[in-house]
Amino acid sequence: VLVKRPHGIPQPGDFEVRNASIERPFTAPLVVRNKFLSVDPAQRGYVNDENSYLPPVPLGGVMRAMAIGEVIHSVDPRYAEGDHLFGWFGWQDYCVTDSASVLRKLNPAHGPLTLNLGVLGINGMTAYLALYGIGAPRAGETIVISAAAGALGSVVGQLARQAGCHVVGIAGDDDKCRVATTRYGYHAAVNYKSAVPLPEQLKAACPRGIDMYFDNTGGWILDEVLLLMNRHGRVIGCGTVAIPSWLPQPQGPRQEREILMRRLRMQGFVIFDHQHLFDETAARLAGLIEQGVLLYDEDIEDGLESAPAALAGLYQGNNRGKKIIRLAPGISTS
Amino acid sequence: VLVKRPHGIPQPGDFEVRNASIERPFTAPLVVRNKFLSVDPAQRGYVNDENSYLPPVPLGGVMRAMAIGEVIHSVDPRYAEGDHLFGWFGWQDYCVTDSASVLRKLNPAHGPLTLNLGVLGINGMTAYLALYGIGAPRAGETIVISAAAGALGSVVGQLARQAGCHVVGIAGDDDKCRVATTRYGYHAAVNYKSAVPLPEQLKAACPRGIDMYFDNTGGWILDEVLLLMNRHGRVIGCGTVAIPSWLPQPQGPRQEREILMRRLRMQGFVIFDHQHLFDETAARLAGLIEQGVLLYDEDIEDGLESAPAALAGLYQGNNRGKKIIRLAPGISTS
């Protein structure tokens, strides 16, 4: 439950675990037992008093989160007891809700349940739909991806490599850079915290300039990448984790002249606009996993009470792969 | 001739008129006698030491400018003596050059020669190709256009009105606002220098929010418009006259979060990427003029020596319509 309105990055003290009971027989149209909770950078926007694409979680309200849960009661003929659903079920053990919270019913043939939070969830689907929908990659083009080894970046990197691009990652430590190149197919990866300035590293890694930038960070990293973009380049805006707080409005170099002179196209992408494509996209990605050409990593922690610190840790780059909270330790992932 | 490298807006003292003679017989492949010179906000970028889409005019070099000239010598079979050409002929009486300077050969059926600098020149063609190519206007959408009554904005406004949009202009004085609504078909126009804050005026003029912004100014006007954009809005970046200088790099509020949250698409447009469409586009626009559904205004001054002050005046909003320099006073416009 959110108990304090955070400024900037939400911290563990902004949340409390509270007990409540659900009366039986169930009167709500849908009740699910959560098994896995998602931890996502976008959750910051759900709790801050900043303009977001959703109204902020009220103080005293259950933290908004995507989760995977099993149906234990349903009046909707599409969802039967025992089905697993992906939806807006919150950071809680049980969700008493209705069908409007459901994002999709999971296909057990697609592998372990947890995949549906990351590589087959909003991360994989964002990678797929934003890269192809906005980026329209062409073989031989150079793409730079920030948060390169994260749950989203790792999928973008692999898909871009398969599209024939020269793929360069940006990450915040050498280990993530190594994972990007050895595991996720990046041609090169640069550490923005290194002693060598980022522009210098990027110039060396992108000898033909940059045609696409898949931006998960915003901020000064975006500023530096823009100055290396080729004409008619595309910037896919998917996240702003490099900005610690949007209140007050942070300042930066004006970009309108670079956008004009370089004829750039900069476009924001929010996966929830594309819900009609979720099933189809998850099936495509599941096919790539089955063929062994799409790798993923998960970083699973146990217990509802660990969720707030896991969220704060995302902004420090602590996670390795998709951050997931497992409820009731010992639940099988299959 | 450019004699001083300006910082920010070029001023008359940055230029000098110099006399030189051309030897006959002509040895260059093409010689034109200029009749009308163009004065364009983009010329600032040609002389500053800023990153631009063209290398800067060297000190001691003739000022780069588009012009309309009559062929007086040509070895290229496409251009005969007496033809009128639109091209990079510079702020000078005669241009000794070759075919690479030619942007297009003019069609005498399209009306007065001067039209080919403005409404049938880069202003009209930018309006047409950027509005349709990037904006993709749909009937019922709201478009805001800055520098609304200028050579470019006035065409955008009329085309957007014909596309069924709700058309709102921004200009810097009440007279321009009046011209926008009474002559160029804007539904409303707001004066950004008025005592009423711009956001308040725009909210009143755009009750359904803003779907497209045709941005000729950049700067704080862009910042304010972005905050009123609807989801999936488009921002067409065509000019940055609101920024007095790009050295040092001006700062402003970071826009990446607005672009992401509102799913905006912001794209820069430079007309010279579209030269293959010039003849076709000019013919379409000439058709609209002939039908009486596309109005234009010209602000013609006499004499080569008046060009530098006319350029500086553009940034103060002094012009009324397309600013043109007529060489040899008394030259007929037809």
Side-chain angles (χ1 to χ4, degrees):
Chain A
V1 164
L2 182 73
V3 295
K4 274 197 292 192
R5 180 75 56 207
H7 292 290
I9 312 299
Q11 298 300 326
D14 299 326
F15 300 91
E16 271 179 27
V17 176
R18 291 198 185 152
N19 290 305
S21 51
I22 307 169
E23 288 196 14
R24 287 179 184 257
F26 298 122
T27 51
L30 180 68
V31 181
V32 301
R33 180 166 73 100
N34 277 341
K35 292 187 170 177
F36 300 99
L37 310 179
S38 195
V39 182
D40 295 294
Q43 285 178 285
R44 165 172 68 158
Y46 305 163
V47 292
N48 285 339
D49 260 336
E50 295 167 354
N51 166 39
S52 176
Y53 51 84
L54 293 168
V57 174
L59 286 180
V62 172
M63 179 59 182
R64 182 184 297 140
M66 285 167 280
I68 289 169
E70 182 179 348
V71 177
I72 59 173
H73 165 77
S74 169
V75 299
D76 187 322
R78 291 171 298 176
Y79 310 128
E81 275 181 48
D83 280 349
H84 284 93
L85 305 180
F86 172 52
W88 291 107
F89 304 145
W91 278 356
Q92 55 187 346
D93 289 315
Y94 291 84
C95 183
V96 176
T97 184
D98 59 36
S99 305
S101 308
V102 178
L103 285 164
R104 68 189 205 92
K105 181 166 126 179
L106 302 183
N107 182 342
H110 287 168
L113 280 177
T114 50
L115 268 56
N116 297 289
L117 288 181
V119 65
L120 303 184
I122 57 156
N123 307 115
M125 295 195 283
T126 298
Y128 192 95
L129 295 171
L131 178 67
Y132 286 107
I134 299 178
R138 291 183 287 264
E141 288 190 320
T142 295
I143 182 170
V144 168
I145 301 159
S146 55
L152 172 52
S154 60
V155 181
V156 180
Q158 293 174 83
L159 294 176
R161 178 73 181 250
Q162 285 163 28
C165 294
H166 179 68
V167 186
V168 175
I170 302 175
D173 63 52
D174 290 341
D175 184 52
K176 285 178 181 166
C177 290
R178 191 186 50 73
V179 169
T181 52
T182 59
R183 183 161 164 78
Y184 298 135
Y186 284 78
H187 293 93
V190 302
N191 179 351
Y192 68 83
K193 292 179 183 162
S194 141
V196 184
L198 180 63
E200 214 171 296
Q201 294 188 75
L202 283 175
K203 271 181 212 164
C206 307
R208 295 189 303 276
I210 301 169
D211 301 298
M212 274 176 290
Y213 175 44
F214 201 107
D215 182 20
N216 295 314
T217 56
W220 71 272
I221 297 176
L222 169 61
D223 299 338
E224 295 293 357
V225 173
L226 279 188
L227 297 175
L228 299 172
M229 298 278 307
N230 293 329
R231 282 187 182 179
H232 306 288
R234 290 84 76 198
V235 177
I236 305 160
C238 275
T240 62
V241 289
I243 304 290
S245 173
W246 287 95
L247 285 175
Q249 174 76 32
Q251 304 285 300
R254 288 200 164 277
Q255 304 295 14
E256 54 264 44
R257 190 161 188 275
E258 294 303 329
I259 292 171
L260 173 52
M261 291 293 146
R262 297 173 193 268
R263 292 83 149 160
L264 303 181
R265 176 158 52 87
M266 187 183 274
Q267 190 168 346
F269 182 92
V270 173
I271 187 65
F272 304 109
D273 297 339
H274 305 269
Q275 206 175 326
H276 59 292
L277 297 172
F278 279 11
D279 285 339
E280 173 189 335
T281 308
R284 278 172 198 261
L285 291 164
L288 296 175
I289 292 172
E290 200 176 14
Q291 293 163 43
V293 295
L294 180 60
L295 306 180
Y296 59 91
D297 287 289
E298 297 178 329
D299 183 342
I300 300 180
E301 247 180 285
D302 283 320
L304 183 62
E305 64 288 354
S306 56
L311 178 58
L314 280 189
Y315 295 93
Q316 293 159 353
N318 293 346
N319 56 306
R320 289 290 179 274
K322 174 67 185 182
K323 191 77 196 181
I324 292 171
I325 304 298
R326 175 167 47 193
L327 297 180
I331 282 184
S332 153
T333 59
S334 52
Chain B
V1 164
L2 182 72
V3 294
K4 274 197 291 189
R5 179 75 57 207
H7 293 290
I9 312 299
Q11 298 300 325
D14 298 325
F15 300 90
E16 270 179 27
V17 175
R18 290 198 186 153
N19 290 306
S21 51
I22 307 167
E23 287 195 13
R24 290 176 182 259
F26 298 122
T27 52
L30 179 67
V31 181
V32 301
R33 181 167 73 102
N34 277 340
K35 292 189 171 176
F36 299 99
L37 310 180
S38 194
V39 182
D40 295 294
Q43 285 178 287
R44 164 171 70 159
Y46 305 162
V47 292
N48 285 339
D49 259 337
E50 295 167 354
N51 167 40
S52 177
Y53 51 84
L54 293 168
V57 175
L59 287 179
V62 171
M63 179 59 181
R64 181 184 297 140
M66 285 166 280
I68 289 169
E70 182 180 349
V71 177
I72 59 173
H73 165 77
S74 168
V75 298
D76 188 323
R78 291 172 297 176
Y79 310 128
E81 274 181 51
D83 280 349
H84 284 94
L85 305 179
F86 172 51
W88 291 107
F89 303 144
W91 278 356
Q92 54 187 344
D93 288 315
Y94 291 84
C95 182
V96 177
T97 184
D98 60 35
S99 304
S101 308
V102 178
L103 286 163
R104 67 188 205 94
K105 181 167 126 179
L106 302 182
N107 183 342
H110 286 169
L113 281 177
T114 51
L115 267 55
N116 296 288
L117 288 181
V119 66
L120 302 184
I122 58 157
N123 307 114
M125 294 195 283
T126 297
Y128 191 96
L129 295 170
L131 178 67
Y132 286 107
I134 298 179
R138 291 183 287 264
E141 288 189 320
T142 295
I143 183 170
V144 168
I145 302 159
S146 56
L152 172 51
S154 59
V155 181
V156 179
Q158 293 174 83
L159 294 176
R161 178 75 183 249
Q162 285 163 30
C165 294
H166 178 69
V167 186
V168 175
I170 302 176
D173 63 52
D174 290 340
D175 185 51
K176 286 178 179 166
C177 290
R178 191 186 50 73
V179 169
T181 52
T182 59
R183 181 161 166 79
Y184 297 136
Y186 284 78
H187 292 94
V190 301
N191 179 352
Y192 68 83
K193 291 179 183 163
S194 140
V196 184
L198 180 62
E200 212 171 297
Q201 295 188 75
L202 283 175
K203 272 181 211 164
C206 307
R208 295 189 304 275
I210 301 170
D211 301 297
M212 275 177 290
Y213 175 45
F214 201 107
D215 181 20
N216 295 315
T217 57
W220 71 272
I221 296 176
L222 170 62
D223 300 338
E224 295 294 357
V225 173
L226 279 187
L227 297 175
L228 299 173
M229 298 277 309
N230 293 330
R231 283 187 182 179
H232 306 287
R234 290 86 76 199
V235 177
I236 305 161
C238 275
T240 62
V241 290
I243 304 290
S245 173
W246 288 95
L247 285 175
Q249 175 74 35
Q251 305 285 300
R254 287 200 164 278
Q255 305 294 14
E256 53 265 44
R257 190 160 187 276
E258 294 303 329
I259 292 171
L260 172 51
M261 291 293 145
R262 297 173 194 268
R263 293 83 147 160
L264 302 182
R265 175 156 54 85
M266 187 183 274
Q267 190 166 347
F269 183 91
V270 173
I271 186 66
F272 304 109
D273 297 339
H274 305 268
Q275 206 176 326
H276 59 292
L277 299 172
F278 279 10
D279 283 340
E280 174 189 334
T281 307
R284 278 173 198 261
L285 292 164
L288 295 175
I289 292 172
E290 200 176 15
Q291 292 163 45
V293 295
L294 179 59
L295 306 180
Y296 59 89
D297 287 288
E298 298 179 327
D299 183 342
I300 300 179
E301 247 179 284
D302 284 320
L304 183 61
E305 64 287 353
S306 57
L311 178 58
L314 280 188
Y315 295 95
Q316 293 159 350
N318 293 347
N319 56 305
R320 291 289 179 274
K322 173 68 183 178
K323 191 77 198 180
I324 293 170
I325 303 297
R326 175 167 46 192
L327 297 181
I331 282 184
S332 152
T333 59
S334 53

